[in-house]
């Protein structure tokens, strides 16, 4: 299990020349949230700012954008609960297309 603090650190780090961070994940025991995405990228209009986002269902009806990690991680987008609240039920599938454990160990 990857601690929430590790993901918070990943999202707080500078993108360092990368266009974005994309994380594929699922919520255990939730048929609705089995192919979800979250990430961070530069703001399109203000490159010095960053956008944090979710794409929770394939039809796009549960897509959310935030301008800071605090709002992103505490927004009740998972049936009334936040990422922070359900973290123990999250399984990371990939981070930028890589195995999460390998990615975080670099």
């Amino acid at each position: 299990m990857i601690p929430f603090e590790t993901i918070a650190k990943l999202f707080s780090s500078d993108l360092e020349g990368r266009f974005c961070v994309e994380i594929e994940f699922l919520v255990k025991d939730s048929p609705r949230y089995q192919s979800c995405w979250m990430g961070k990228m530069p703001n399109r209009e203000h490159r010095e700012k960053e956008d944090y986002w979710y794409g929770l269902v394939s039809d796009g009806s549960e897509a959310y954008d935030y301008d800071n990690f605090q709002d992103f991680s505490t927004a009740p987008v998972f049936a009334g609960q936040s990422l922070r609240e359900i973290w123990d039920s999250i399984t990371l599938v990939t981070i930028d297309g890589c195995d999460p454990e390998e990615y975080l160990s670099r």
Side-chain angles (χ1 to χ4, degrees), residues 4-95:
F4 183 80
E5 293 75 23
T6 301
I7 292 302
K9 185 177 177 182
L10 173 66
F11 275 103
S12 69
S13 65
D14 187 1
L15 290 173
E16 300 172 7
R18 296 178 290 155
F19 179 69
C20 66
V21 172
E22 287 187 334
I23 299 173
E24 181 183 5
F25 68 100
L26 60 90
V27 180
K28 296 176 208 160
D29 301 321
S30 174
R32 182 165 186 79
Y33 301 120
Q34 290 299 299
S35 181
C36 304
W37 294 86
M38 63 178 150
K40 171 179 151 175
M41 64 185 195
N43 180 286
R44 289 187 175 115
E45 294 176 16
H46 304 282
R47 301 297 282 178
E48 71 282 359
K49 295 182 179 182
E50 297 170 328
D51 292 328
Y52 301 80
W53 54 269
Y54 291 109
L56 302 180
V57 294
S58 61
D59 70 4
S61 63
E62 293 185 48
Y64 307 96
D65 296 301
Y66 300 91
D67 61 8
N68 64 75
F69 182 75
Q70 176 64 28
D71 290 347
F72 168 82
S73 65
T74 60
V77 297
F78 299 94
Q81 294 186 293
S82 70
L83 180 67
R84 187 177 295 271
E85 291 173 310
I86 67 162
W87 185 254
D88 290 340
S89 298
I90 296 285
T91 298
L92 300 182
V93 179
T94 64
I95 300 177

